[in-house]
Each structure stands twice: as structure tokens, then as C-alpha cells.
């Protein structure tokens, strides 16, 4: 199983900047990319095609989208279908990112529809979960993770383990500079692995990423932890200078 090093650019960058950064990432890492790693770039919708062209034919470099709508096509103004994402070269899509849950108020039921539909349509899904600081302080972290997994993956009956990725991103660690303690990451990832094993066959091969204030300085120690199969990086993925250090960490 290869580790996945993913860049979530959120609502950042101009067209030119997306192309430029993607190029710098490929050029700066291609020859040294460790054999057990894959790179994923997740730009905003308008830049998908341009970044796709940069990544085309680069083995081990993939394109992802930040969102999808769970329908084939139709009158859904402002939404984007899995077929449209596949058409511009996406192989991955994020579902349930903390900002979709907390800023855009997306609920478990809707996320469940997105996850199962995206998988059915042939996209790989990075399903994001994580507790808020209040939930952690109340000792509810595992309960929250279990509920997000149970409700969000309830319609996923059978999955090719390569197609499902879980990202554990404690809400309080995202964009705050406050990375989770190693023991907290180990505990959460072991808990997620156990849930997956009980739910899906072949769950050993489902990758579990950590996200939340991953930086060049902490990436290699996080990537060395048990059950950490990659990282999902926001702020530190915006420049090739820092993201490349994480890819090569
Ligand atoms: P961050 O974001 O690396 O800026 O904390 C991570 C994420 O939102 O996926």
C-alpha cells in the first residue's frame, strides 16, 4: 500500500498560480519520489483541467476534487457531477471535509449519499472525519469518529480497498498550527482501522491519512506512525517549497 501525500488547496490560487505550483511540485519531486508514495493535488474546480494537464502521464501523481454532487446530471445549479470530475482527469474526491461539515452545514445523510455515489461512479473517495475541541474535551472523540464513519459509510456495502481513503482531521488542528499529539493520532487511527476491519473485508488496505497542521517539520514523524498511510495538507501545500519537503519527508 502506497502512502498518499495530498494537497488540499481549498479556495486559493489564481489559474496561473495553480499551474505554476503544480509544475513546481512535479519538477521538484518526480525524480526523488519514494517508491512507496503517491501525490495528489486537489485544486479548486475552475483549475482542475489546467492542473490535470500538468499531471497528465506523470506516474504516481493524481488529481482530486474538493466536492461533488450525488446525481448523474440535471438541474442542480452550481453543482458538479462525478462524471464531470472524471472527464477532466480526477481520480479522487473529498467528502465530508470539516469545512463542508461546519461551514457549509453538510449533514451525515448527505455525505453518505455523496460517498456511495462517488464510489459507484468510479471516483476514489477520501472520507474526512474528526472531532471538535469541545467533543475532545468531553471525552467523546471515539464516539464522534464512530458515528461519522457509521453514518457516512452506511451505503457503502462493498468497497475495493484502494478506492476508499479515510482522513482523520481533528477540527481543532485544521489551519491552527496546533498539530495533534502523536499518541492522539495513534489512538484515532487504530480506532478507525478497527472500525474498518469490522465493516469491510480487506480493510487492511484502506489508507488512513492524518490531516491538521501538517508541516515540513512534523511530516516525517507523523508519516512514520502506525496506521498512518499518508497526510492531507492544507496551508503547507500551497507552495511547492513546503509541500515538496512533505512529499519527500
Ligand atoms: P491545514 O489543513 O493543513 O491547513 O491544517 C488541512 C485540511 O484542511 O485538510
Amino acid at each position: 500500500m502506497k502512502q498518499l501525500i495530498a494537497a488540499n488547496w481549498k479556495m486559493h490560487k489564481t489559474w496561473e498560480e495553480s499551474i505554476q505550483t503544480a509544475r513546481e511540485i512535479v519538477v521538484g519531486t518526480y525524480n526523488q519520489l519514494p517508491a512507496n508514495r503517491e501525490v495528489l493535488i486537489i485544486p479548486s474546480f475552475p483549475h482542475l483541467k489546467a492542473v490535470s494537464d500538468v499531471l497528465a502521464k506523470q506516474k504516481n501523481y493524481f488529481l482530486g476534487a474538493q466536492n461533488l454532487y450525488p446525481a448523474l446530471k440535471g438541474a442542480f445549479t452550481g453543482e458538479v457531477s462525478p462524471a464531470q470530475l472524471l472527464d477532466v482527469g480526477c481520480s479522487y474526491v473529498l467528502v465530508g471535509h470539516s469545512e463542508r461539515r461546519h461551514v457549509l452545514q453538510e449533514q451525515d445523510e448527505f455525505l453518505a449519499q455523496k460517498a456511495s455515489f462517488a464510489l459507484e461512479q468510479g471516483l476514489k473517495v477520501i472520507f474526512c472525519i474528526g472531532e471538535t475541541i469541545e467533543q475532545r474535551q468531553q471525552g467523546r472523540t471515539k464516539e464522534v469518529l464512530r458515528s461519522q464513519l457509521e453514518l457516512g459509510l452506511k451505503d457503502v456495502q462493498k468497497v475495493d480497498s484502494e478506492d476508499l481513503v479515510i482522513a482523520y482531521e481533528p477540527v481543532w488542528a485544521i489551519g491552527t498550527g496546533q498539530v495533534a499529539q502523536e499518541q492522539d493520532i495513534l489512538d484515532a487511527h487504530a480506532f478507525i482501522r478497527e472500525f474498518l476491519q469490522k465493516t469491510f473485508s480487506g480493510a487492511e488496505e484502506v489508507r488512513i491519512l492524518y490531516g491538521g497542521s501538517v508541516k515540513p517539520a512534523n511530516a516525517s514523524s507523523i508519516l512514520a506512525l502506525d496506521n498512518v498511510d499518508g497526510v492531507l495538507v492544507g496551508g503547507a501545500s500551497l507552495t511547492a517549497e513546503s509541500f515538496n519537503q512533505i512529499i519527500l519527508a
Side-chain angles (χ1 to χ4, degrees):
M1 161 167 52
K2 288 191 178 181
Q3 288 189 319
L4 186 63
I5 313 295
N8 175 10
W9 287 349
K10 309 190 180 183
M11 199 172 72
H12 291 290
K13 294 191 178 292
T14 63
W15 170 272
E16 286 298 335
E17 286 164 355
S18 288
I19 296 172
Q20 182 66 21
T21 308
R23 280 200 187 121
E24 289 170 5
I25 289 169
V26 174
V27 170
T29 59
Y30 191 80
N31 288 329
Q32 308 159 66
L33 187 67
N36 67 338
R37 294 224 170 129
E38 292 176 342
V39 177
L40 171 64
I41 300 182
I42 312 174
S44 57
F45 283 140
H47 305 161
L48 283 171
K49 178 68 175 101
V51 174
S52 176
D53 290 345
V54 174
L55 302 181
K57 303 197 186 75
Q58 306 293 342
K59 197 166 170 275
N60 296 316
Y61 291 73
F62 299 94
L63 182 72
Q66 297 174 17
N67 192 21
L68 78 141
Y69 190 78
L72 283 177
K73 58 178 155 180
F76 302 105
T77 300
E79 297 296 328
V80 176
S81 73
Q84 290 173 323
L85 298 177
L86 289 161
D87 195 32
V88 290
C90 287
S91 37
Y92 288 83
V93 65
L94 293 177
V95 175
H97 187 277
S98 161
E99 287 139 26
R100 301 298 315 178
R101 292 177 188 268
H102 299 285
V103 184
L104 283 304
Q105 308 298 332
E106 291 187 1
Q107 304 299 316
D108 293 305
E109 174 58 37
F110 189 39
L111 300 175
Q113 289 171 21
K114 291 188 183 197
S116 63
F117 194 74
L119 286 166
E120 267 167 47
Q121 295 299 308
L123 284 163
K124 296 180 198 289
V125 166
I126 302 182
F127 191 76
C128 307
I129 58 174
E131 80 287 0
T132 64
I133 192 65
E134 293 78 21
Q135 289 164 334
R136 171 162 286 270
Q137 283 163 352
Q138 292 159 3
R140 295 177 48 218
T141 298
K142 288 183 179 166
E143 175 200 326
V144 169
L145 299 182
R146 182 187 301 110
S147 151
Q148 290 175 338
L149 288 168
E150 270 173 8
L151 297 173
L153 299 177
K154 70 179 170 48
D155 299 327
V156 179
Q157 309 300 352
K158 204 172 137 279
V159 69
D160 188 336
S161 55
E162 278 186 18
D163 293 345
L164 180 65
V165 179
I166 306 296
Y168 170 58
E169 298 201 296
V171 177
W172 46 272
I174 297 177
T176 58
Q178 195 190 341
V179 69
Q181 300 289 316
E182 291 193 353
Q183 193 57 49
D184 296 335
I185 301 176
L186 284 167
D187 290 348
H189 282 231
F191 179 80
I192 295 164
R193 179 73 67 208
E194 200 185 313
F195 174 92
L196 293 169
Q197 278 166 341
K198 282 193 213 139
T199 315
F200 302 107
S201 60
E204 285 303 332
E205 298 291 312
V206 173
R207 288 175 290 184
I208 307 174
L209 314 185
Y210 169 78
S213 296
V214 175
K215 304 277 181 256
N218 58 30
S220 71
S221 52
I222 292 172
L223 283 163
L225 297 173
D226 267 0
N227 285 313
V228 173
D229 310 306
V231 285
L232 179 54
V233 188
S237 75
L238 290 173
T239 67
E241 194 206 353
S242 73
F243 190 57
N244 290 0
Q245 291 179 57
I246 295 173
I247 294 172
L248 303 175

